[in-house]
Amino acid sequence: MENKKEMRNWLDDFGLDHPLVIAGPCSAETEEQVLKIAHELKDTDVSVYRAGIWKPRTRPGMFEGVGAIGLDWLKKVKAETGLLTSTEVANKDHVKLALEADIDILWIGARSTVSPFIVQEIADALSGTDKIVLVKNPVNPDLALWMGGLERLYTADIKKLGAIHRGFSTYDKSKYRNNPEWQIAVEFQNKFPDIPMICDPSHIAGRRDLIFDLSQRALDLNFDGLMIESHWDPDNAWSDAKQQVTPTRLVEIMKELTIRKKTTNEEGYRTELETLREQIDVIDQAILDALGKRMKVAASIGQLKKDNNVAVLQNRRWNEILESMQQEGSQRGLSEDFISRIFKAIHQESINHQEKVING
Ligand code: PEP
Ligand code: MN
């Protein structure tokens, strides 16, 4: 997919001097709830109202959305507040109904982006419309799958595109519901610099107290917008109760966020530097995580060696690792000397971890 400035035009058309904010409840629950929240969000920095009408749920038996009737409520939102409207579509029937209801922005959810069949079905059903379509990252950390989703839409002649970063599910427990893995979003931006990137801190966090920090980080990484779940009574929301914030809190968050503007050249430089440094921080974090994981595996090998009474140092294996890393390193422009020094240090640390297991 070539990069074309025209892909950003839809965002420029908003004429905002701040990032785009999409907000509204996880799910449309009742007409009253949908309208009440929308009225609280109008006349704020929010430009687009969100509400899930069809909800993809991990386990059956949870609230699966009100269905098509909710589209009428969104129409009322637009008529009464002037906010644009958006909802998730997950198959061609959803697309047909959402287009009939003149919903302005459609998004493809994380559980749909994983399926090329579903994305293609949605792309075919949307072909020829000029709606804005946003693609959430797939639930698994797979950049190609995310890019592929956007490419399928682009090929179906849908040109008003955007990406939503909502984090990635992992088996390991962390403080996040979905690990941000910022480096994947950063890499996406590098590959497709003209596709607006929106952060969904609500689904990354899974809890409302993390939303501010995640939003600030996204802005520091030059994201173009935020999608934040907002409910007038979060604790009693029918889905994602823990992560929603009240409209009042959302307005506070928007006020407190620092937006780095690119006006003067000097400021442009500082913004760019800030962005690059944020990228470095993200990558360093990923390096640390990887090293930590490597040492855990090394310790498990230590246990295995102990159980089988085998020596810690296996020279042949180590020489193979070093040689293949030097080869792969040179393909990435890294010198042999650097690779040798860094892997010797890593190897030594692994041996220390193994010896602790064996002697400890
Ligand atoms: C949602 O936006 O409410 C949703 C279901 O998100 P995701 O597809 O990111 O899980
Ligand atoms: Mn949700």
Side-chain angles (χ1 to χ4, degrees), residues 58-175:
T58 303
R59 308 278 305 271
M62 298 193 272
F63 175 57
E64 295 196 320
V66 292
I69 190 177
L71 295 168
D72 294 333
W73 308 340
L74 288 178
K75 273 202 247 177
K76 276 198 185 159
V77 165
K78 188 155 146 175
E80 290 184 19
T81 67
L83 290 166
L84 296 189
T85 53
S86 66
T87 200
E88 171 175 352
V89 289
N91 61 40
K92 58 180 184 325
D93 302 325
H94 296 166
V95 170
K96 187 168 173 281
L97 291 165
L99 292 179
E100 279 167 12
D102 202 23
I103 302 297
D104 301 290
I105 300 182
L106 310 177
W107 83 79
I108 298 181
R111 291 163 194 76
S112 301
T113 311
V114 290
S115 165
F117 287 135
I118 281 294
V119 175
Q120 192 59 52
E121 175 181 317
I122 295 170
D124 292 341
L126 279 168
S127 178
T129 72
D130 70 343
K131 294 294 179 191
I132 298 162
V133 184
L134 309 175
V135 181
K136 287 199 169 195
N137 65 255
V139 284
N140 53 322
D142 185 338
L143 177 62
L145 204 49
W146 194 7
M147 288 166 49
L150 283 133
E151 284 162 343
R152 282 178 199 280
L153 293 166
Y154 189 80
T155 309
D157 214 28
I158 297 148
K159 298 289 148 65
K160 295 182 180 173
L161 294 171
I164 303 177
H165 171 227
R166 49 77 79 196
F168 301 88
S169 75
T170 50
Y171 191 64
D172 309 332
K173 281 275 149 280
S174 82
K175 70 173 169 174

Side-chain angles (χ1 to χ4, degrees), residues 25 27-40 49-53 63 65-81 231-232 238:
S27 304
E29 297 166 1
T30 64
E31 177 170 348
E32 190 197 2
Q33 171 249 16
V34 166
L35 287 168
K36 183 173 165 71
I37 300 166
H39 278 280
E40 289 187 33
Y49 190 73
R50 66 149 281 158
I53 299 289
F63 175 57
V66 292
I69 190 177
L71 295 168
D72 294 333
W73 308 340
L74 288 178
K75 273 202 247 177
K76 276 198 185 159
V77 165
K78 188 155 146 175
E80 290 184 19
T81 67
H231 192 292
W232 71 275
W238 296 2

Side-chain angles (χ1 to χ4, degrees), residues 46 124 145 215 221 230-231 236-237 241 281 297 305 311 324 339 345 348:
V46 174
D124 292 341
L145 204 49
S215 302
L221 286 168
S230 181
H231 192 292
N236 291 305
D281 289 349
V297 176
K305 286 177 180 169
S324 85
I339 293 292
Q348 186 56 55

